[in-house]
């Protein structure tokens, strides 16, 4: 069972509880599932009970108790444990993390996209699917860049989007940052979504396309962006560098694995290592778990970035993925006299899943994901 299928199962449990009269709530459009955090157990956890507690007029713990038997009875679920204020920790038949990696590799950079109008998320739903959204912005470079990136993310969730600006973008904006809008002039008659981020304090064009777009998109719309050379330096202090470097490392691992005759295969990531870690690979498991959590969260982040017209949410999420990936990537390939094993193939699959998520996210922001850096 993949995370998307499990999310659908959780929503079905809510619907059954509502139909049985045990909960009086509106069934939400989606249920977030992710590998459990500290104090959790099992393969995945969901906070759906906390989400429904207030509208149900019950404690989150009580809502979780109502949902638990419906989840336990579902095919593919072996156990459900309640922790904390009402988290439902779900154990599945088979290897759930491997299913997540397989799902990401199956969709590639389009993982997390919503069905409708040529896009694809496996649950066939999405809060933006089929919606027509008009984004309108003032004649300001940052506003145009944010509106364009928001449009890309909305389209990834199945929305039909049209962008407009009070005046045509300057030719140098298009030449350097690649920005375009569908129409120029006054706001359309239909109520538009006005995109008005805080303007940049300086001209970002000198930074070039990738760094310039990142400088404008990474901060929240209400924050004034910094337009400086910090976006160009190839150091760990630069979030854009970390994201692009993590992607380039995943591509290098795939090339090196091919030279070794090692193919990616989703599965448990523990195994042997010769870098001072335990022979059972447990020193890697915490890093891999953190990485799996960030990857499982990607569809939710895309949906939220679309709903709030906030590309900054996606940019910051890519930093989270990269920061979780960078300590893990050196453990992927065999070292020294180590023989390639199933654990190495599983780690390679996880690394390639990271590369797919980073490439897809950067593409939605209009930023290049280099194979070499």
């Amino acid at each position: 069972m993949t995370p998307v299928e499990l999310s659908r199962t959780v929503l079905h449990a809510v619907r059954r509880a509502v139909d049985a009269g045990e909960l009086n709530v509106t069934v939400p459009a989606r249920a977030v599932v992710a590998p459990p955090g500290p104090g959790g157990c099992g393969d995945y956890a969901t906070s759906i009970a906390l989400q429904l507690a207030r509208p149900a007029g019950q404690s989150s713990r009580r809502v979780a108790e109502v949902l638990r038997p419906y989840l336990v009875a579902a095919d593919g679920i072996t156990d459900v444990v309640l922790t904390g204020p009402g988290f439902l920790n779900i154990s599945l038949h088979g290897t759930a993390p491997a299913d997540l990696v397989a799902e990401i590799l199956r969709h590639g950079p389009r993982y997390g996209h919503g069905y409708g109008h040529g896009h694809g998320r496996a649950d066939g739903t999405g809060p933006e699917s089929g919606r027509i959204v008009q984004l309108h912005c003032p004649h300001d470079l940052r506003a145009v860049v944010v509106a364009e990136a928001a449009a890309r993310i909305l389209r990834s969730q199945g929305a039909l989007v049209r962008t407009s600006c009070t005046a045509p973008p300057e030719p140098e904006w298009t030449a350097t940052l690649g920005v375009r809008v569908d129409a120029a002039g006054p706001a359309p008659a239909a109520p538009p979504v006005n995109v008005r981020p805080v303007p940049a304090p300086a001209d970002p064009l000198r930074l070039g396309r990738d760094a310039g777009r990142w400088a404008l998109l990474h901060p929240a719309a209400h924050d004034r962006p910094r337009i400086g050379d910090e976006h160009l330096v190839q150091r760990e202090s630069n979030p854009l560098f970390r994201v692009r470097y993590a992607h380039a490392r995943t591509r290098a691992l795939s090339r090196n694995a091919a030279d070794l005759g090692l193919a990616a295969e989703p599965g448990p990531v523990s195994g042997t290592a010769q870098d001072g870690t335990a022979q059972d690979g447990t020193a890697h498991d915490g890093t891999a778990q953190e990485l799996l959590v960030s990857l499982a969260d990607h569809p939710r982040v895309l949906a939220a970035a679309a709903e709030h017209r906030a590309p900054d949410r996606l940019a910051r999420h890519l930093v989270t993925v990269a920061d979780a990936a960078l300590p893990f990537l050196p453990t992927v390939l065999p070292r020294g006299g180590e023989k390639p094993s199933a654990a190495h193939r599983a780690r390679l699959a996880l690394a390639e899943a990271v590369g797919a998520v980073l490439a897809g996210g950067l593409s939605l922001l209009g930023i290049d994901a280099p194979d070499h850096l």
Side-chain angles (χ1 to χ4, degrees):
M1 185 182 296
T2 68
V4 170
E5 292 168 339
L6 180 57
S7 174
R8 198 160 53 222
T9 299
V10 171
L11 291 178
H12 183 62
V14 174
R15 190 170 294 110
R16 290 185 63 193
V18 170
D19 292 343
E22 294 186 77
L23 290 177
N24 183 18
V25 296
T26 300
V27 179
R30 62 183 181 272
V32 176
V33 297
C41 58
D43 296 306
Y44 287 100
T46 178
S47 60
I48 190 71
L50 283 72
Q51 178 183 341
L52 297 177
R54 178 173 292 180
Q58 302 184 45
S59 70
S60 55
R61 185 83 182 183
R62 174 57 188 158
V63 173
E65 290 170 350
V66 169
L67 295 177
R68 183 181 180 277
Y70 293 103
L71 288 170
V72 170
D75 291 340
I77 293 178
T78 59
D79 193 18
V80 179
V81 176
L82 274 62
T83 59
F87 292 103
L88 290 156
N89 297 262
I90 303 169
S91 296
L92 304 177
H93 292 297
T95 55
D99 291 342
L100 169 63
V101 172
E103 181 187 4
I104 296 172
L105 295 181
R106 184 165 59 253
H107 291 287
R110 295 173 64 83
Y111 166 65
H113 288 208
Y115 273 142
H117 310 286
H119 299 286
R121 190 170 69 204
D123 61 2
T125 64
E128 302 294 344
S129 184
R131 290 189 59 189
I132 299 176
V133 182
Q134 173 74 53
L135 301 180
H136 185 71
C137 63
H139 187 252
D140 169 75
L141 177 53
R142 188 186 185 202
V144 175
V145 170
V146 170
E148 186 202 50
R152 291 172 188 255
I153 297 170
L154 278 159
R155 291 183 183 119
S156 81
Q157 301 303 294
L160 299 173
V161 188
R162 184 173 175 81
T163 57
S164 60
C165 183
T166 53
E170 299 299 324
E172 58 267 27
W173 297 0
T174 300
T176 303
L177 300 188
V179 295
R180 292 176 176 84
V181 295
D182 297 319
V193 175
N194 289 302
V195 179
R196 294 179 176 275
V198 173
D203 186 356
L205 296 181
R206 65 181 185 83
L207 298 177
R209 178 179 177 125
D210 293 332
R213 291 182 71 96
W214 181 268
L216 299 175
L217 293 172
H218 181 250
H222 58 267
D223 290 333
R224 187 174 298 278
R226 292 180 300 171
I227 308 299
D229 291 342
E230 66 268 20
H231 299 293
L232 297 172
V233 298
Q234 297 199 19
R235 298 190 190 126
E236 289 187 2
S237 59
N238 179 2
L240 174 60
F241 170 73
R242 297 203 302 275
V243 172
R244 284 156 54 92
Y245 178 66
H247 175 267
R249 289 278 288 124
T250 67
R251 303 304 301 141
L253 287 170
S254 295
R255 292 192 298 270
N256 293 338
D259 291 341
L260 295 173
L262 185 65
E265 183 178 330
V269 297
S270 61
T272 59
Q274 295 184 355
D275 57 358
T277 58
Q279 288 298 302
D280 63 358
T282 53
H284 297 317
D285 291 348
T287 301
Q289 183 74 357
E290 181 182 354
L291 185 51
L292 287 163
V293 168
S294 65
L295 295 177
D297 201 33
H298 186 64
R300 182 197 65 79
V301 172
L302 282 182
E307 180 182 357
H308 297 282
R309 291 51 164 146
D312 58 284
R313 295 191 180 205
L314 173 58
R316 290 194 297 273
H317 174 66
L318 296 181
V319 177
T320 299
V321 173
D323 287 347
L326 287 171
F328 169 78
L329 296 179
T331 74
V332 169
L333 297 183
R335 293 183 174 190
E338 243 187 321
K339 293 183 178 180
S341 67
H344 292 113
R345 292 192 291 273
R347 291 180 206 151
L348 178 61
L350 179 52
E352 292 186 351
V354 169
V357 168
L358 294 178
L362 286 170
S363 176
L364 290 175
L365 298 177
I367 296 173
D368 180 53
D371 286 351
H372 303 270
L373 194 63

